[in-house]
Amino acid sequence: MLIRTPTPHDPLPSEITPRSAYLNRRQALAGLGVAAASPLALAQGAAPGGGKLPKLPGARSAVAGAFATDKPTSYADATSYNNFYEFGTDKSDPAANAHTLKTRPWTVSVEGECAKPGRFDLDALLKLAPMEERLYRLRCVEGWSMVIPWTGYSLAELIKQAQPTSKAKYVEFTSLADKAQMPGVRSGVLDWPYIEGLRIDEAMHPLAMLVFGMYGEVLPNQNGAPLRLAVPWKYGFKSAKSIVKIRFVEKEPLSSWTKAAQQEYGFYSNVNPNVSHPRWSQASERRIGEDGLFAKKRPTLLFNGYEPQVGQLYAGMDLKKNY
Ligand code: MTE
């Protein structure tokens, strides 16, 4: 994001997966009577997850806006074109390197301005609320996007358990930073650990999701196992991966990217086609897996298309100032 200006030479997943193979897969699915856009079908194993990880199905979410009508990105693309700087800065690095991440045992420390702080074991978190499946668009600040069927539940479920006090105006998320497991943490590419934050009302919005799985299976390491955020109306970097700490705080947290380059990455980072990144426009996006280099870009939508659900969170705010 900051370190390397994206080059036109990054291999596109669509260049790796021949279009014919991709189309064959879709035809095979159609033959099975499976609607490729049905995430529930994905969870039921009718469409490809990787098939190597344990299943993690979820019930169809009733949260408004939880189902994008876009075609889901293929599992192969979603798991091979990643940003997870703890494992390297190339898009292919996380898939190549993240096998060293040990995702069990795993605990998440819930701290700060709340009546019920504590350490939650992963198994407790998996049982905290019923698993749901949702299909979210993910728009990266770099100008590409994907559509991913996640499994998890609203972050609000965990927040409610912690009972934040009236001083809890923000929530800060910290990712694991372990040099032994994460080769990228030995580099100075970011000030580790990776930190992100949300305003408390953003964090409580039902679309803000605590994610444990994708495509009906547990998260692959490169996608942020064993748990991460998915905040679909914000640029992808707000969705911290491999979270170990959730802290309720009074002051706006300083996120890793804001710390690295304040002019480029603000606290809010809501997807906004009208506010350019200082080095590139945000008006359009390239959908990963959708044909090759010459494919037409899609227009980027305000709040990534989730304006009906989240627009009121920002009523009266100057979105150019609060980028
Ligand atoms: N979380 C951590 N801990 N480290 C990272 O480098 N990258 C972010 C976000 N979460 C990142 C992270 C960025 S820039 C994006 S676009 C998304 O993860 C990518 O998620 P995906 O690889 O599952 O598509």
Side-chain angles (χ1 to χ4, degrees):
M1 283 163 56
L2 164 74
I3 327 306
R4 289 172 62 244
T5 309
T7 71
H9 309 299
D10 282 340
L12 292 166
S14 52
E15 291 172 301
I16 298 161
T17 309
R19 184 166 165 76
S20 56
Y22 164 75
L23 287 175
N24 282 344
R25 268 206 307 264
R26 282 184 63 79
Q27 269 156 16
L29 286 175
L32 290 169
V34 175
S38 161
L40 205 59
L42 293 173
Q44 287 160 352
K52 293 195 182 123
L53 295 171
K55 292 230 178 304
L56 188 66
R60 186 185 168 87
S61 177
V63 168
F67 282 90
T69 50
D70 313 37
K71 185 181 80 188
T73 300
S74 76
Y75 184 85
D77 285 346
T79 56
S80 62
Y81 191 88
N82 302 102
N83 275 333
F84 199 171
Y85 276 21
E86 287 86 336
F87 293 101
T89 55
D90 276 353
K91 294 287 176 280
S92 57
D93 284 343
N97 299 331
H99 59 275
T100 50
L101 177 66
K102 212 169 145 255
T103 56
R104 267 177 198 268
W106 191 278
T107 48
V108 177
S109 171
V110 178
E111 314 178 352
E113 292 294 344
C114 61
K116 294 206 164 157
R119 290 178 71 79
F120 288 79
D121 186 69
L122 178 62
D123 289 314
L125 288 171
L126 283 164
K127 284 186 235 137
L128 189 109
M131 284 292 160
E132 293 183 3
E133 193 160 347
R134 306 180 186 180
L135 186 67
Y136 282 179
R137 286 182 292 274
L138 178 145
R139 168 63 156 82
C140 181
V141 74
E142 295 164 338
W144 50 267
S145 61
M146 296 197 195
V147 184
I148 300 184
W150 301 115
T151 312
Y153 48 75
S154 293
L155 173 63
E157 301 281 355
L158 175 60
I159 295 179
K160 278 187 247 161
Q161 297 268 329
Q163 297 176 15
T165 68
S166 58
K167 281 190 178 168
K169 305 277 192 262
Y170 297 90
V171 193
E172 182 186 84
F173 304 89
T174 306
S175 298
L176 181 72
D178 180 359
K179 282 184 186 152
Q181 302 179 55
M182 301 169 133
V185 174
R186 288 174 223 149
S187 82
V189 101
L190 278 177
D191 189 4
W192 310 108
Y194 194 96
I195 289 179
E196 258 313 330
L198 295 171
R199 220 170 54 190
I200 188 89
D201 58 338
E202 297 178 319
M204 288 293 289
H205 192 283
L207 282 175
M209 190 178 184
L210 200 55
V211 167
F212 301 86
M214 57 195 268
Y215 298 80
E217 299 175 359
V218 302
L219 281 172
N221 289 356
Q222 61 266 38
N223 291 86
L227 79 161
R228 64 171 292 167
L229 291 180
V231 191
W233 69 96
K234 292 178 179 279
Y235 290 116
F237 68 88
K238 297 297 283 184
S239 295
K241 294 177 166 179
S242 304
I243 293 170
V244 290
K245 189 160 69 179
I246 297 177
R247 190 172 178 79
F248 296 97
V249 293
E250 203 171 354
K251 293 212 179 92
E252 189 180 283
L254 180 59
S255 74
S256 297
W257 282 108
T258 307
K259 201 168 177 181
Q262 195 179 357
Q263 296 313 310
E264 309 203 357
Y265 310 107
F267 176 76
Y268 283 94
S269 290
N270 290 316
V271 175
N272 190 339
N274 308 314
V275 178
S276 297
H277 183 279
R279 290 185 280 137
W280 58 82
S281 160
Q282 293 290 22
S284 64
E285 65 201 59
R286 178 169 65 87
R287 183 62 54 83
I288 296 297
E290 232 176 36
D291 306 312
L293 271 178
F294 305 106
K296 248 184 134 187
K297 286 185 157 194
R298 293 171 170 248
T300 287
L301 304 173
L302 182 61
F303 300 116
N304 203 19
Y306 297 92
E307 186 179 10
Q309 290 81 31
V310 303
Q312 84 283 356
L313 292 175
Y314 310 100
M317 273 176 73
D318 181 343
L319 297 178
K320 287 211 160 84
K321 237 162 122 190
N322 297 285
Y323 58 90

